Amino acid sequence: MRDSLKYFWEKDGNQHFRDEEEILLPVYAKYQSSEQPEIAEMLLEHVTIRSYVQQIITSDENSVSLMNRLGQLLDSHIRKEERIIFPMIEDELPEKELQKLKPYLHVDEIPPQK
């Protein structure tokens, strides 16, 4: 399990967070204040998730309890992004920006602007 987590993290997981932090949120901040509780929560969860992953993949000890916490946090984090953060960003950005960010929003189709 530890090897699978390490592979996922190094292949995709860490880069996903970096994309959000270094690409998606800076563009959003051009159009809307990023000083919102949902954004702060997302970033704090990124820190916690990174910490859990690092502890699990570098420890020789049994990490079942930490893996369970990581799984629960990832589940709630993903739901929050899908239901709150990404729609919030989609509502604020112009169509041109949304099209550029489409790969980072993890949606198949950008909804038309109102």
Side-chain angles (χ1 to χ4, degrees):
M1 193 73 149
R2 184 176 283 123
D3 290 340
S4 295
L5 174 62
K6 183 177 180 184
Y7 176 78
F8 161 76
W9 188 250
E10 291 172 354
K11 182 178 180 296
D12 294 317
N14 191 43
Q15 187 60 49
H16 169 80
F17 287 175
R18 292 188 69 178
D19 289 344
E20 290 174 354
E21 295 163 4
E22 297 174 10
I23 298 168
L24 188 62
L25 292 179
V27 171
Y28 176 70
K30 288 182 354 187
Y31 298 93
Q32 185 61 256
S33 171
S34 59
E35 293 181 23
Q36 298 177 36
E38 298 87 355
I39 301 294
E41 284 177 30
M42 180 179 92
L43 294 172
L44 288 172
E45 287 173 358
H46 283 189
V47 170
T48 304
I49 291 165
R50 282 185 170 111
S51 174
Y52 287 174
V53 168
Q54 209 52 314
Q55 289 175 63
I56 292 167
I57 64 177
T58 61
S59 174
D60 291 332
E61 297 178 25
N62 185 332
S63 304
V64 172
S65 135
L66 192 52
M67 284 184 178
N68 284 330
R69 285 188 291 184
L70 173 61
Q72 291 169 351
L73 179 55
L74 278 170
D75 183 62
S76 69
H77 178 78
I78 291 165
R79 301 302 156 246
K80 185 182 303 169
E81 285 184 346
E82 290 173 343
R83 295 177 183 155
I84 298 168
I85 304 289
F86 294 158
M88 185 172 73
I89 291 170
E90 290 168 357
D91 286 345
E92 295 298 330
L93 297 184
E95 183 70 23
K96 177 180 78 171
E97 294 284 11
L98 286 172
Q99 291 305 322
K100 286 192 271 183
L101 294 174
K102 186 177 177 179
Y104 306 104
L105 291 169
H106 307 286
V107 294
D108 293 326
E109 189 171 316
I110 302 295
Q113 294 267 304
K114 298 170 194 153

